[in-house]
Each structure stands twice: as C-alpha cells, then as structure tokens.
Amino acid sequence: CGHPDYRAVRAPALVIGAVISSPREVFPLWRSFDPAQREAARDFTSRLQRWAATERARVRRELAGAQMLLLHGANHYVFDSNEAEVERAMRRFLAEERR
C-alpha cells in the first residue's frame, strides 16, 4: 500500500472510508464457512480493524484540517456501497471549497 506522506498535502482534503464492524462485512460467504474458517475470518477482521483504526488516527494527526466521512457497514468501494452519502459529501466539500 505504501505510506502516504499526509503532512506534505497542502490542499483541502476529504477522506472517505469504510468502517468494518464484523467479519460478515468482509466475507460475503460467511454463512458457508466452517468453524475453523470463521475463526480465521474473525482473526483477519480483527487485524484489519486495528490497522484501519491506526491509519484513521494517522490521517487525523498528519492531515490536519481534513474532513472525514466514516461509513459504517460500507465496503471497500464506498462510492458503490454508499453512493448517495459519498456523492452528498463530495458535492458539499467541493461547494465549500469553491467559496
């Protein structure tokens, strides 16, 4: 993934991210998993949640002034899973920046 240098960003920024609440959001085939697969999926999801929380904290710290839209239950493609919310946020952000 790399490690973006958020401190170098000088432009206004809108950060839109998915917040994972459960393994079912990450693994569409969850219902078909056996107990071992479910445990592995829980472990992976837990690690992913910790990583994502750390990265959100880093963005808040290093990209001061950025607007953040966190979408619970969204998938990685937030513009697809939460189209209306993403569009509203983008339009509002761009309108504010034009002023």
Side-chain angles (χ1 to χ4, degrees):
C1 292
H3 296 88
D5 183 4
Y6 295 124
R7 289 187 174 113
V9 175
R10 298 291 177 245
L14 170 63
V15 178
I16 303 173
V19 178
I20 299 165
S21 303
S22 75
R24 289 175 184 87
E25 294 172 8
V26 181
F27 298 96
L29 298 177
W30 172 263
R31 289 177 184 240
S32 67
F33 285 4
D34 64 33
Q37 290 170 316
R38 285 187 177 201
E39 186 54 37
R42 283 187 196 98
D43 181 60
F44 176 85
T45 302
S46 178
R47 291 170 190 259
L48 184 58
Q49 288 169 319
R50 285 193 303 274
W51 173 82
T54 299
E55 287 302 301
R56 283 192 299 272
R58 188 167 78 85
V59 168
R60 284 187 185 103
R61 187 175 59 251
E62 296 179 12
L63 194 54
Q67 293 182 35
M68 291 189 79
L69 172 61
L70 301 178
L71 300 168
H72 295 263
N75 69 35
H76 177 76
Y77 302 102
V78 293
F79 55 85
D80 189 41
S81 65
N82 296 65
E83 182 180 353
E85 290 168 283
V86 169
E87 182 179 346
R88 268 194 310 276
M90 290 176 66
R91 288 183 183 280
R92 184 175 54 247
F93 175 78
L94 293 170
E96 289 171 5
E97 293 308 314
R98 289 186 72 192
R99 283 188 238 138

